[in-house]
Amino acid sequence: MSSSCRLPAETPRVSEQQRITTFQCATYWLTTTVSRSLDPLNLPLWRKNITVLIVGLYSAFAVLATSGMGAIVTQVREMYPPEDQDRVSDLLTHPTLFMGIGNLLAMPLCVAVGRRPVFLLSLVILVASGIGCACSTSLTSHIAARDILSVAAGQSEALVAFMVQEVHFLHQRGRAATWNAAIQGVVTGAMFVATTYLVPAWGVRWWYGVITIVNGVLLIASFFLVPETMYDRVLEDDGNETGSPKAARVTTTTNHTLDPERYGARTWRHDLKVFHFKPRWHETWTFYKTAALSFCIPAIVWLLLLNGAFLGVYVFHSSTFATVLLGPPYLFEFGFLGFVQLAIVLANCIGLVVIGYGSDWIIKLMSRLHKGIYQPEYRLLSAILPSIIAVVSCVIYGQTAQHPDQWSWAGIVVPYAAGYLAFLGANTVSITYVVDSWPAEAGPMLLVVAAGRGFISFGLSYALVPWIARNGYDGSMRELAIICGVFALLGIPCYVFGRNIRVWSKKRLYPSPAC
């Protein structure tokens, strides 16, 4: 079936609880008022909000544990003898690689056994590996425990994004994804500030200790409050063929038959179960096959490259801003570096409004302009502003870092936050576009984007020092700006031919009905 769906000519003036969802496709022909329906789309609003909050906090502390060491690397080096100093950098560079590996392992597993058990297992591993990092007696054991921690933290990317999308209707996904990212960014930024005070006072081991305690609390909260979000929906398509341009009828009623004998009724006892499905191990092979085939889809390859490039901008900024600000002429005090992270908090607040709500507003506007027909390609228009921001931030950052005597310190801090905002935008566009376009294949495709950009980031982290040594800050940033600009322009053919690409992929690569 086409991913298109028709808006009602007039939306009744009713309460928010009764309002017809304007972009509810035939895939989701469900009753939104059936309280005992097991479809996570029909969860009460407070359960959806608490799910977004918990997984957002999980993501925040996963990012803090894996990426927050850059600000305290000086204290970490003091823990080890001179002969180990060259290996200390492994504590900083390994996480992105092992987060990608974690995605490769966990995402197929969540298809076989469900999202909830994989999410809970990730929290268990985070707690255990956090204790291992805090109690490590050598650099080797510290690196090993940190690598395991990074494998579990990898689910903060694709799996969390998948879970957030699965409990929200199509027209709510942009804001939901950005709320999740905003929670992650705000909490991470606040903890970065706290880190610069906590570590000098209590040491690196208690830094791990605080993170582990929070993860333990999140594990308990998740067991009681985060439901299983995977659900096998009955597709009702009026006989349309996959890829048909015929628009789907929007409705708030359904012929969808609940199957309590298979799924059970939605009760607290039901929700507390860890496993809701019999393991379907054969689907792991299907998952990897789907992921491999997605490399044949130009739009997916483009999203991977765009995410990798924009993440590269953020990695470049986050890896070098402290060196520039601590040196002349700025001579920042170490404690002030934590407050620089408040710029990330501001970027998340801006991103929530401009990218999250703006994305949903754009698709509503474009659908009205096209007689109520929704196309997932409307989501790609939300990538325009982040692309401009990424290119401009690269240029300003490079010039400021190379010629600090000619620029204010704001030339470092503002582009640092802007680069993160650009990555946030690319990430949000990728998640919503993939889930809207290929709902049945979204998991493997999100894996390709999330894991792929992790590997790209790992490669950049090793190339960073020689890159700067060869071209300087301005030359390196200029090259990265060109890369971001070229990849952004590739979005034009993806927008123009996006529908044809989707129809072709569903007929040739994924011939079974996907939505």
Side-chain angles (χ1 to χ4, degrees):
M1 174 178 293
S2 170
S3 296
S4 303
C5 52
R6 182 174 296 279
L7 300 180
E10 295 183 359
T11 302
R13 296 182 179 276
V14 295
S15 66
E16 181 67 23
Q17 288 77 15
Q18 297 172 325
R19 185 172 298 152
I20 296 175
T21 57
T22 54
F23 292 94
Q24 189 175 347
C25 288
T27 304
Y28 305 128
W29 283 9
L30 309 167
T31 301
T32 59
T33 58
V34 178
S35 61
R36 296 180 69 83
S37 170
L38 296 182
D39 194 316
L41 289 173
N42 293 326
L43 285 167
L45 182 60
W46 74 269
R47 287 292 299 277
K48 295 184 179 185
N49 291 341
I50 200 69
T51 298
V52 173
L53 175 62
I54 290 176
V55 300
L57 291 174
Y58 158 80
S59 298
F61 282 89
V63 170
L64 177 66
T66 54
S67 304
M69 187 169 282
I72 58 172
V73 66
T74 303
Q75 287 83 352
V76 175
R77 291 187 181 279
E78 293 175 355
M79 297 169 57
Y80 301 106
E83 59 269 20
D84 286 340
Q85 293 301 306
D86 291 341
R87 297 175 57 215
V88 170
S89 60
D90 290 347
L91 295 170
L92 304 176
T93 57
H94 281 198
T96 53
L97 172 64
F98 282 89
M99 287 177 74
I101 293 174
N103 276 302
L104 290 174
L105 297 175
M107 286 302 291
L109 189 62
C110 80
V111 173
V113 301
R115 325 301 190 221
R116 178 172 161 84
V118 176
F119 182 68
L120 293 177
L121 177 61
S122 298
L123 279 165
V124 170
I125 296 175
L126 278 178
V127 172
S129 57
I131 295 174
C133 289
C135 299
S136 62
T137 57
S138 66
L139 180 58
T140 299
S141 61
H142 189 179
I143 293 174
R146 190 165 170 79
D147 290 346
I148 296 173
L149 182 146
S150 300
V151 169
Q155 282 59 262
S156 63
E157 298 178 331
L159 177 58
V160 163
F162 210 24
M163 293 172 66
V164 170
Q165 298 295 296
E166 286 178 324
V167 297
H168 288 89
F169 287 103
L170 187 150
H171 72 293
Q172 302 167 331
R173 288 174 179 167
R175 72 192 72 171
T178 313
W179 264 111
N180 177 65
I183 293 171
Q184 172 184 326
V186 170
V187 174
T188 303
M191 288 305 300
F192 276 158
V193 176
T195 293
T196 59
Y197 293 93
L198 187 153
V199 172
W202 292 2
V204 176
R205 298 189 187 281
W206 264 111
W207 179 71
Y208 280 118
V210 171
I211 294 173
T212 301
I213 291 171
V214 173
N215 284 329
V217 173
L218 290 176
L219 173 61
I220 297 172
S222 299
F223 178 78
F224 289 102
L225 296 174
V226 176
E228 174 60 67
T229 63
M230 186 169 77
Y231 188 80
D232 295 329
R233 294 185 177 89
V234 176
L235 307 182
E236 302 167 354
D237 58 12
D238 285 347
N240 291 351
E241 295 180 359
T242 300
S244 168
K246 181 179 178 180
R249 177 169 55 88
V250 177
T251 179
T252 56
T253 60
T254 180
N255 296 322
H256 180 78
T257 303
L258 301 180
D259 192 354
E261 293 185 359
R262 179 180 180 185
Y263 297 103
R266 181 172 289 286
T267 62
W268 279 108
R269 181 178 180 182
H270 173 272
D271 282 354
L272 291 178
K273 291 170 57 180
V274 175
F275 294 92
H276 290 257
F277 305 92
K278 292 182 179 180
R280 298 174 285 192
W281 300 114
H282 65 281
E283 293 195 9
T284 58
W285 160 248
T286 303
F287 188 98
Y288 284 121
K289 179 181 177 181
T290 301
L293 288 174
S294 68
F295 283 99
C296 298
I297 303 175
I300 299 299
V301 176
W302 170 67
L303 289 173
L304 167 61
L305 296 175
L306 189 73
N307 269 261
F310 285 16
L311 178 58
V313 173
Y314 175 65
V315 169
F316 193 109
H317 293 174
S318 62
S319 300
T320 59
F321 82 94
T323 302
V324 176
L325 293 178
L326 289 174
Y330 306 124
L331 299 175
F332 271 41
E333 295 182 11
F334 176 77
F336 289 173
L337 294 180
F339 290 100
V340 173
Q341 301 295 335
L342 293 178
I344 299 296
V345 176
L346 178 60
N348 276 277
C349 294
I350 296 174
L352 175 62
V353 176
V354 177
I355 298 174
Y357 287 89
S359 171
D360 291 340
W361 178 81
I362 287 174
I363 66 170
K364 291 178 182 180
L365 175 63
M366 293 296 294
S367 297
R368 291 191 184 100
L369 293 176
H370 291 80
K371 299 180 180 181
I373 300 298
Y374 166 72
Q375 297 287 350
E377 283 67 41
Y378 301 156
R379 294 281 187 189
L380 301 183
L381 296 174
S382 303
I384 296 175
L385 181 59
S387 299
I388 296 173
I389 292 174
V391 173
V392 174
S393 67
C394 284
V395 175
I396 295 177
Y397 188 96
Q399 291 297 317
T400 305
Q402 189 68 29
H403 309 287
D405 56 322
Q406 301 177 17
W407 292 74
S408 164
W409 57 266
I412 296 296
V413 176
V414 174
Y416 173 42
Y420 179 82
L421 178 61
F423 169 65
L424 175 63
N427 184 49
T428 301
V429 169
S430 300
I431 293 171
T432 52
Y433 179 69
V434 167
V435 175
D436 291 356
S437 301
W438 296 276
E441 295 82 21
M445 292 180 180
L446 289 177
L447 168 67
V448 169
V449 175
R453 73 188 182 205
F455 294 137
I456 292 173
S457 174
F458 176 70
L460 285 173
S461 66
Y462 271 98
L464 195 60
V465 174
W467 197 5
I468 295 174
R470 184 180 69 252
N471 299 326
Y473 285 105
D474 54 348
S476 302
M477 282 279 88
R478 184 167 55 249
E479 292 176 0
L480 196 50
I482 294 173
I483 292 173
C484 290
V486 171
F487 288 160
L489 290 175
L490 291 178
I492 296 176
C494 287
Y495 178 84
V496 174
F497 301 106
R499 182 184 175 280
N500 293 331
I501 293 173
R502 285 188 287 109
V503 172
W504 171 82
S505 67
K506 291 173 183 179
K507 287 183 177 180
R508 301 297 182 184
L509 303 179
Y510 314 115
S512 60
C515 64

